[in-house]
Amino acid sequence: MNPPVLTIDGPGGAGKGTVSLQLARRLGWHYLDSGALYRLVGLAATRAGLDLDDGAALAGLVSRLEFEFRLDAAALRVLLDGTDVTAAIREEACARAASRLAVQADLRTVLLPLQRARARSPGLVAEGRDMGTTVFPQAPLKIFLTASVEQRARRRWLQLSAAGVDARLADILSDLGQRDARDGSRKTAPLRPADDAVIIDSSDLTADEVCARILGHCKERGLTDSAGLAP
């Protein structure tokens, strides 16, 4: 596949975001966060006063959508129509809107070319739940990153606590279990590893250790040089 695409799929809390961003920086590649894309659509639709179940209106919105994932030295910035919406798309209202949008088969189909257009030279790191199975099935390297639900819940709880958010570990554990069940059983693009995916369990690994393993697989496939950089 030219330009090359590295897909990283998996359930919430497995570390996809941290690992994907590290890899995109290390490789010097573009970055796509499909979850953030659904949040962007939800934010744009809400601001435009659209019904989130109006497929035709949403399709029109997507056709006009201008967005960018910009990797700065310190963080990822998400832009919508040239405006920084990094904080806005992390609000709970956007999360709820994204959850409603993600199960709509017609919208997922409309978003396919938009996501595939992000594959530009020198390469793309694409993170999500169906990047390797649906969006980029010809990607030369597909990773399915997972971890025990207990470990994923603890990581999410630590993140929220560090951000000053009061959350109960038991509630997070329950929410993740329910989301896993929804994602795995939905009719459109269910969460599952691609047939040729490399499965990595990050339960007992640091983000740096996961990145090192993935870079090793990149090297085996000729996607990086001996230093782990894009050739």
Side-chain angles (χ1 to χ4, degrees):
M1 190 172 185
N2 190 25
V5 175
L6 165 60
T7 65
I8 302 181
D9 292 317
K16 298 189 307 296
T18 300
V19 168
S20 298
L21 285 169
Q22 284 191 25
L23 289 168
R25 287 193 174 96
R26 179 68 179 271
L27 294 167
W29 288 4
H30 299 286
Y31 173 72
L32 170 64
D33 179 345
S34 65
L37 178 56
Y38 282 93
R39 288 172 180 252
L40 278 172
V41 175
L43 177 64
T46 301
R47 288 180 172 179
L50 301 182
D51 182 344
L52 294 182
D53 296 315
D54 187 338
L58 290 173
L61 174 73
V62 168
S63 69
R64 302 187 300 273
L65 198 65
E66 295 289 341
F67 70 97
E68 181 182 357
F69 295 108
R70 184 176 296 173
L71 283 173
D72 290 344
L76 168 73
R77 291 202 299 140
V78 182
L79 280 70
L80 175 64
D81 295 328
T83 301
D84 191 328
V85 293
T86 307
I89 65 168
R90 298 304 174 190
E91 295 177 0
E92 186 58 30
C94 277
R96 290 195 298 268
S99 182
R100 286 180 61 183
L101 295 171
V103 298
Q104 298 180 26
D106 289 346
L107 179 62
R108 297 187 78 91
T109 299
V110 170
L111 284 173
L112 272 178
L114 195 65
Q115 294 177 91
R116 288 171 176 164
R118 312 310 288 184
R120 303 191 301 269
S121 182
L124 174 71
V125 177
E127 169 209 339
R129 283 174 169 74
D130 65 342
M131 296 295 99
T133 54
T134 303
V135 182
F136 298 105
Q138 304 303 317
L141 178 56
K142 304 166 189 171
I143 302 295
F144 190 85
L145 187 60
T146 187
S148 68
V149 67
E150 292 81 10
Q151 183 64 269
R152 291 188 284 124
R154 177 172 173 75
R155 290 171 180 170
R156 186 65 54 84
W157 177 74
L158 288 172
Q159 287 176 342
L160 292 173
S161 297
V165 178
D166 185 18
R168 294 179 65 247
L169 182 59
D171 292 339
I172 297 172
L173 183 61
S174 176
D175 288 344
L176 282 177
Q178 293 174 26
R179 185 172 184 180
D180 287 350
R182 288 197 305 270
D183 287 345
S185 62
R186 68 191 184 199
K187 294 181 179 180
T188 302
L191 175 63
R192 64 173 179 82
D195 292 339
D196 56 347
V198 176
I199 300 176
I200 298 177
D201 188 327
S202 69
S203 298
D204 299 316
L205 299 173
T206 66
D208 287 342
E209 290 170 333
V210 173
C211 285
R213 289 195 182 189
I214 295 174
L215 287 171
H217 289 291
C218 287
K219 181 182 175 183
E220 290 175 0
R221 288 163 171 75
L223 303 179
T224 66
D225 61 18
S226 59
L229 301 173

